[in-house]
Amino acid sequence: MAAKLPKQPTLRTISELSGLAIPTVSRALNNAPDIGAKTKSRVHQIARDIGYVPNRAGLRLRTGKTNVISLVLGTDNEVTDHTGQLVSSIARALRDTRYHMIVTPYFPQEDPLRPVRYIVETRSADAVILNRIETVDARIDYLTERGFPFVTYGRTDACAGQPFFDFDNMSFGRIAAQTLIRAGRRRIALLAPPLQQSYAQHMLTGAQAVLNGAGLSLDVIAGINSDDAGHVLRDGVAGYLGRMPQTDGLICPSTTAAIAAVVGCERQGRVIGETVDVFAKEAIPFLEYFRPQLKSVIEDVAEAGTFLARAAIQAIEQPDLPPLQRLVEAKPIGDPTGYTNTGQQSHR
């Protein structure tokens, strides 16, 4: 005779274990404002202990909601510490709420609107979180027209009425250019993100403003972008330096781009901190262990994920409130409130 499967825990199970009425348990699990913090904590703990999972099919039939927030991510070559930090921080922020996160991928060369359209048409989530925002983004226009809740990691050119979190890449570009100029660099190049993305334009504008003010120019390395595979970036930077040997400073928007750029520089016989300097942005302080001479600022992706989760919940539950928005400025070198690796001093 087959063994009898254990019964799926229900609201009634939690009610019996806690001594609370089923409606109270339900409201506690949904973090209702009229339920005390201790009661909510106790009910959530019992639910975790017994492995309670809401019946999403029943919930959707009753309310039209899924209690799911979808993070839409590209599946390209740069799956790095930045992506990992973003996913884990959103998941942590949602842990004690009614919401769960799913990751909806889209692939290189695929229309990025396609997964967003699928989520909206199937109602498979209550909100979406988007990144890699373009200056004019068809995904945001689509979601806005349909009144579907969303929040973005980055800004469009028309972001006034949109919920977003963004790292100020214009300030990053300024700090990068200022730091390289102070290191004596006069021919500076940018290994740019895809130029249709907003943060690439912000980075470019910030760096150009500083260099133009110093009577210098910024060169954007053609033919590659920071989303390319590591070997493409390595070979692209090496080839660029072969054609432009006077280049003595590089700005890189990510850890992986910086590592590939360093290998490309060294293939051309360059010495980091002596014949060339590299300034980068990273999600965790890693580059100083790879090459201590590298210069960098930290983008706090964990802070971004926490904010994005909160903004998505507000967009779902309180759509009439002003959208949550936050712009975090890169910290200049020497600012005690921010992390900046200034690298070792040049020996020139």
Side-chain angles (χ1 to χ4, degrees), residues 319-330:
D320 294 331
L321 290 181
L324 291 178
Q325 300 177 337
R326 187 165 188 186
L327 178 63
V328 177
E329 187 174 0

Side-chain angles (χ1 to χ4, degrees), residues 179-180 183 277-280 287 293-297 341-344:
T179 303
L180 292 172
D277 274 312
V278 177
F279 194 101
L287 290 173
Q293 300 85 359
L294 289 172
K295 309 172 190 297
S296 65
V297 297
N341 175 33
T342 59
Q344 294 183 352

Side-chain angles (χ1 to χ4, degrees), residues 136-148:
V136 178
D137 200 304
R139 299 172 299 172
I140 296 174
D141 292 341
Y142 174 85
L143 291 165
T144 301
E145 288 169 3
R146 283 152 184 79
F148 195 89

Side-chain angles (χ1 to χ4, degrees), residues 180-195:
L180 292 172
I181 289 172
R182 281 198 295 267
R185 304 308 181 185
R186 292 297 177 267
R187 294 301 300 264
I188 297 170
L190 171 65
L191 175 49
L195 291 176

Side-chain angles (χ1 to χ4, degrees), residues 182-185 248 270-277 291-295 342-348:
R182 281 198 295 267
R185 304 308 181 185
D248 56 6
R270 301 300 188 90
V271 179
I272 306 301
E274 295 188 9
T275 59
V276 66
D277 274 312
R291 293 290 186 278
Q293 300 85 359
L294 289 172
K295 309 172 190 297
T342 59
Q344 294 183 352
Q345 294 296 313
S346 169
H347 299 294
R348 292 189 315 280

Side-chain angles (χ1 to χ4, degrees), residues 297-320:
V297 297
I298 290 290
E299 178 178 359
D300 190 342
V301 181
E303 177 188 11
T306 300
F307 186 93
L308 290 167
R310 184 160 61 92
I313 291 172
Q314 178 178 295
I316 297 166
E317 298 183 353
Q318 299 172 296
D320 294 331

